[in-house]
Amino acid sequence: MRLFVSIPLSDDMKLSLANVQSFLKKQGVRGSFTPVENLHITLAFIGEYPDADYVSQALSGVCFSPFCLSLSGFGQFGNIWWAGLEKSPELDKLAKKLRFSLERAGVPHDKKKFSPHMTLVRRAEGDPSAVVIPKASMQVKSFCLMRSDFAKRGMIYTPLAEFSAADK
């Protein structure tokens, strides 16, 4: 099964990003827009791995306190357009901790440098120069182990396990 670890977005954050996507569509941008229900922040991409329970067990020891994330900026990885986040030492620390837990357990994952973002459009065609990312923030209280499956209408993401922050 295809697995990744992510932070689910709050409804307010999803609404803000959906408004950006709507703006892009009105500006004539074409491409594969990420469905609002699939918007998330990937912390680690695992890929094909047969044992989600083992991965969940490896992640269960990752401790963190709740923290705030805020939208900031727009960028591109080639024809993939994304919304960014304000610098967050807490987010970087969480990503580092959970990637270390995966490595210690022998669970392979993408070793690319952590670059927090939310993918808005894949295979984007158009002019991104007028894009403005609105102010929006959310409290991070958990992260999830997710399964992704290919379907006729795009990817379906299913949460397999949720890991909550420790109360302060």
Side-chain angles (χ1 to χ4, degrees), residues 18-73:
N19 288 337
V20 173
Q21 290 178 316
S22 180
F23 171 81
L24 290 169
K25 290 174 185 176
K26 288 177 185 170
Q27 297 300 310
V29 172
R30 293 191 322 225
S32 177
F33 285 80
T34 303
V36 174
E37 64 272 12
N38 283 359
L39 290 168
H40 66 276
I41 302 163
T42 300
L43 297 169
F45 180 75
I46 297 167
E48 291 296 328
Y49 195 80
D51 191 348
D53 289 336
Y54 182 73
V55 176
S56 181
Q57 184 178 21
L59 295 171
S60 65
V62 175
C63 294
F64 69 103
S65 296
F67 60 94
C68 185
L69 287 179
S70 298
L71 290 178
S72 177

Side-chain angles (χ1 to χ4, degrees), residues 93-112:
K93 189 174 179 181
L94 174 59
K96 188 175 184 176
K97 280 182 176 182
L98 71 88
R99 287 172 177 218
F100 178 76
S101 291
L102 292 172
E103 288 173 19
R104 189 175 49 205
V107 177
H109 61 87
D110 189 349
K111 302 282 198 258
K112 287 182 195 164

Side-chain angles (χ1 to χ4, degrees), residues 98-142:
L98 71 88
R99 287 172 177 218
F100 178 76
S101 291
L102 292 172
E103 288 173 19
R104 189 175 49 205
V107 177
H109 61 87
D110 189 349
K111 302 282 198 258
K112 287 182 195 164
K113 181 179 183 271
F114 179 57
S115 178
H117 65 280
M118 286 104 352
T119 300
L120 300 173
V121 191
R122 295 180 185 280
R123 294 180 302 284
E125 297 176 12
D127 180 11
S129 62
V131 176
V132 175
I133 300 297
K135 296 281 184 198
S137 297
M138 64 174 267
Q139 191 77 7
V140 175
K141 297 179 182 175
S142 67

